[in-house]
Amino acid sequence: MSDRTLKPATIAARAAGATDTESAGVVPGIHLATTYMRGSDNALAREDNQYGRDQNDTVREAEEVLRQLEGAAATRLFPSGMAAITALFRTVPNGGRVVVQSGIYWGATAWIRDFCARRAVELTEVDASDIEALTAACATPADLVWIEVPSNPWLKVADIAVAARLAHDAGALLAVDATAATPVLMHPLEMGADLVMHSATKAINGHTDVLAGVLSCADPDGATWQRIITDRHDAGAILGPFEAWLLTRGMRTLPLRMERMCGNAQAVAEFLDGHAGVEAVLYPGLPGHPGNALAARQMQGGYGYLMSVLIRGGRAAALAVAGRLQLFHRATSLGGVESLVEHRHSVEPDTGIPENLLRLSVGIEDAEDLIADLEQALTG
Ligand SMILES: *Cc1c(COP(=O)(O)O)cnc(C)c1O
């Protein structure tokens, strides 16, 4: 059976076939060596292993799982999501032009603005879920178009196939941050994207104990991908072997976790939608969400684990609801097995986030328990 015939659950559970070839263990070992031996003839014992920056079999095993899940030609891991994003943006030439979705992950926006200013790169920020606005932004030539689908924390849904066409017409590559969808629910490369990125810190690892980022591409011979590979090797933004091993372990249950998290998130969103204490629920799985039909086309198996809720009564009411929650941990981040809640305005006060917005990351707990907790917090 070739990779292509295997479904995500099979690829993930088997860690894409990784085992310990030395001990015959079912689980691969962790390779910690930073350097590799040469033979008496001075030839490398293994040609693809010379030095630990960036050659490591444990990291390659995790990359192979991700490559197969993504349906990508090549995949590289980085020590955080931001390390992956910055490796990609560093491929943009000085004086170039980038089109970036507005209202996305704040850490990315902040770094991209600073980077573009320092490198004289023209930056156009645009609501990529608005096709007319995106068309206008892509009317001038560009090097890179960067979108986040669904976006964090607004849960906007951009049309990846349309964005790819507009980017290509502008001479740009399309890169998609698909962290909120994971490689299980959505395949941007199949829709025409050139590159896809995830913060593997989130649902890909899923256990809130590894920082990692991943980039995958459709064309491994392209100049941008080649520069990314060189950048990782030369600049040294590499994932440690222990983190890679934990990632491979965590990913064995990624499809299973996504099934449960999407089911829970859908149930939680439906409960919150129309609740007297709630003004609005931003979740692409709700029929009233402007991106619902598009998300249904672009995603398979659910709409993800991330949502935002506008609480009736403003900032104080939102903070009070968050404060009364007993099962949701009050913490930043998303995608773990445990549910989290965060008052985003406290973290990014100047980016237009409503003061009554709570972002929820729904975990794998029992949906009835989560709903009961939200009910007591909303009515409390
Ligand atoms: C968390 C996050 C990132 C950054 O990832 P890190 O692993 O924290 O560096 C990028 N994009 C999105 C959508 C995220 O949620």
Side-chain angles (χ1 to χ4, degrees), residues 215-265:
L215 283 174
S216 295
C217 74
D219 173 16
D221 302 320
T224 297
W225 187 253
Q226 288 304 315
R227 258 182 250 127
I228 287 168
I229 289 178
T230 305
D231 186 271
R232 193 185 74 163
H233 178 272
D234 294 358
I238 55 150
L239 190 67
F242 184 55
E243 282 76 11
W245 188 89
L246 280 174
L247 203 54
T248 298
R249 178 188 164 119
M251 286 190 295
R252 289 179 189 270
T253 57
L254 173 59
L256 194 61
R257 283 185 280 111
M258 286 319 291
E259 208 178 299
R260 177 63 167 256
M261 287 161 83
C262 288
N264 280 359

Side-chain angles (χ1 to χ4, degrees), residues 194-208:
D194 301 285
L195 296 134
V196 55
M197 173 269 164
H198 300 269
S199 167
T201 310
K202 313 295 166 55
I204 287 177
N205 179 61
H207 295 76
T208 323

Side-chain angles (χ1 to χ4, degrees), residues 80-82 85 105 148 152 177 179 197 199 201-202 212 334:
S80 68
M82 284 308 301
I85 294 173
Y105 179 69
E148 201 180 270
N152 168 12
D177 179 341
T179 299
M197 173 269 164
S199 167
T201 310
K202 313 295 166 55
L334 39 129

Side-chain angles (χ1 to χ4, degrees), residues 141-157:
D143 298 287
L144 182 66
V145 176
W146 175 256
I147 61 175
E148 201 180 270
V149 189
S151 68
N152 168 12
W154 288 98
L155 282 301
K156 293 200 178 189
V157 184

Side-chain angles (χ1 to χ4, degrees), residues 8-346:
T10 312
I11 295 166
R14 303 182 68 256
T19 57
D20 186 349
T21 46
E22 270 172 46
S23 75
V26 167
V27 173
I30 309 180
H31 297 281
L32 296 169
T34 55
T35 191
Y36 302 93
M37 291 183 286
R38 291 176 182 272
S40 52
D41 58 355
N42 203 41
L44 285 167
R46 243 182 68 183
E47 232 172 66
D48 57 344
N49 275 345
Q50 178 176 357
Y51 185 55
R53 195 201 70 237
D54 58 356
Q55 297 162 335
N56 183 283
D57 286 3
T58 306
V59 175
R60 289 188 183 114
E61 280 163 1
E63 286 172 343
E64 180 58 15
V65 176
L66 284 160
R67 190 192 68 75
Q68 291 188 21
L69 290 177
E70 197 75 70
T75 295
R76 287 290 186 281
L77 276 163
F78 292 82
S80 68
M82 284 308 301
I85 294 173
T86 56
L88 169 61
F89 273 80
R90 281 197 295 270
T91 66
V92 175
N94 289 351
R97 179 169 183 269
V98 295
V99 175
V100 171
Q101 183 172 342
S102 56
I104 55 166
Y105 179 69
W106 170 235
T109 303
W111 184 88
I112 291 166
R113 284 180 186 168
D114 179 58
F115 169 81
C116 289
R118 281 187 285 116
R119 296 273 297 267
V121 171
E122 187 189 333
L123 168 63
T124 302
E125 292 185 44
V126 62
D127 178 353
S129 69
D130 176 343
I131 290 182
E132 261 177 53
L134 186 62
T135 304
C138 292
T140 334
D143 298 287
L144 182 66
V145 176
W146 175 256
I147 61 175
E148 201 180 270
V149 189
S151 68
N152 168 12
W154 288 98
L155 282 301
K156 293 200 178 189
V157 184
D159 188 320
I160 296 171
V162 168
R165 184 169 47 72
L166 292 171
H168 296 160
D169 287 351
L173 297 181
L174 176 70
V176 180
D177 179 341
T179 299
T182 78
V184 173
L185 304 179
M186 198 174 76
H187 296 102
L189 300 177
E190 280 174 12
M191 295 175 239
D194 301 285
L195 296 134
V196 55
M197 173 269 164
H198 300 269
S199 167
T201 310
K202 313 295 166 55
I204 287 177
N205 179 61
H207 295 76
T208 323
D209 51 14
V210 171
L211 277 171
V214 60
L215 283 174
S216 295
C217 74
D219 173 16
D221 302 320
T224 297
W225 187 253
Q226 288 304 315
R227 258 182 250 127
I228 287 168
I229 289 178
T230 305
D231 186 271
R232 193 185 74 163
H233 178 272
D234 294 358
I238 55 150
L239 190 67
F242 184 55
E243 282 76 11
W245 188 89
L246 280 174
L247 203 54
T248 298
R249 178 188 164 119
M251 286 190 295
R252 289 179 189 270
T253 57
L254 173 59
L256 194 61
R257 283 185 280 111
M258 286 319 291
E259 208 178 299
R260 177 63 167 256
M261 287 161 83
C262 288
N264 280 359
Q266 188 70 37
V268 163
E270 285 171 11
F271 162 75
L272 291 170
D273 193 30
H275 190 285
V278 169
E279 223 170 75
V281 182
L282 313 181
Y283 183 66
L286 292 173
H289 187 280
N292 177 245
L294 178 57
R297 283 208 307 279
Q298 292 190 155
M299 301 170 87
Q300 303 99 40
Y303 298 90
Y305 52 86
L306 187 68
M307 74 185 71
S308 290
V309 190
L310 303 183
I311 303 296
R312 210 174 283 286
R315 178 189 183 88
L319 283 166
V321 168
R324 281 192 292 265
L325 283 167
Q326 289 168 14
L327 298 179
F328 287 76
H329 288 299
R330 285 169 293 279
T332 195
S333 200
L334 39 129
V337 293
E338 64 290 300
S339 294
L340 302 180
V341 58
E342 185 176 44
H343 182 247
R344 275 311 293 176
H345 189 272
S346 300

